[in-house]
Amino acid sequence: MRRVPIYLLVLALLGDGLFAWGPAGHKWIHARALERLPPPLASILGSQREYLVEHAVDPDFWRDTDGEESPRHFIDLDKYGDFPFPQLTLDYEQMLRRFGLEKLKANGLVLWTIPQVMTRLEKAFRAADQHAILRELVALGHYVADLHQPFHAVANYDGQLSRQWGIHGRFEVEVANRILPTLQMRSAQLEEISDPLKASFDIALESFSRVNVILVADWKIVRDLKIDRDSLPRDPEKKFAVYPESYFRLFAARTGPVAAWRMQHAAWAVASFWTQAWNNSRK
Ligand SMILES: [Zn+2]
């Protein structure tokens, strides 16, 4: 199944007990976003705080029952040519005519999903439909947060094209586990999201720009520690290679700042998208 990190498949089978950064990271992002809302919206959503944090990872499990869900979580920018991706335009209809739906789905739809969900959230606010408001807040927050993960914006999404298999999880699980307990927000203004499609593309570009930082860090550490990827022990349940602690200490030191910045920015962006949808609904 495309784009479902192995640890999530295992978790889906085994339940909450093994949840690592996937859920923890999404919950952290929603919790920090909720703290940054303007007072009127904060008071409207105040009683739903716990729900919005606890359900931050739900969209990852919507894939279990919705075959259309998976492409909503990523965009492989470099499937449209090397930067600046000459075959990519933001006009969905034009992309559809050019590539067809199956190709677009295979390369990821998150850029176009985010504006759609934002529109649905505006409608839900207008209708004061509490159920729909919560569902669309969760969806919008999750997709915006996913787009901040560098490996959600690149074809080499798990290091499979550079013999660095499993780097997706090593970055978002192990590195985040090490930085989350002390990760603080820095103050920043919420952004006005006048063009959600363009704003989403800008987030994807920032994510894409950090992929090589993470790949290079992993590659150098493996070289310097003389790690043979093929002979690493395998986790008996999760089946992926188990890297030594010496690797993770260096990997977290070198890529932790990237993870911290992406998660902090994700919280600001989620707060900005939620607030913009609410503002739009009152016009
Ligand atoms: Zn996701």
Side-chain angles (χ1 to χ4, degrees), residues 26 59-60 63 73 142-143 146 152:
H26 277 289
D60 281 333
R63 295 178 249 224
H73 298 245
H142 182 97
Y143 299 137
D146 269 3
H152 281 243

Side-chain angles (χ1 to χ4, degrees), residues 1 20 31 40 63 71 73 112 150 163 172 191 199 229:
M1 204 183 336
R63 295 178 249 224
H73 298 245
W112 299 285
R163 297 182 54 80
E172 75 173 16
E191 288 172 45
R229 296 187 200 264

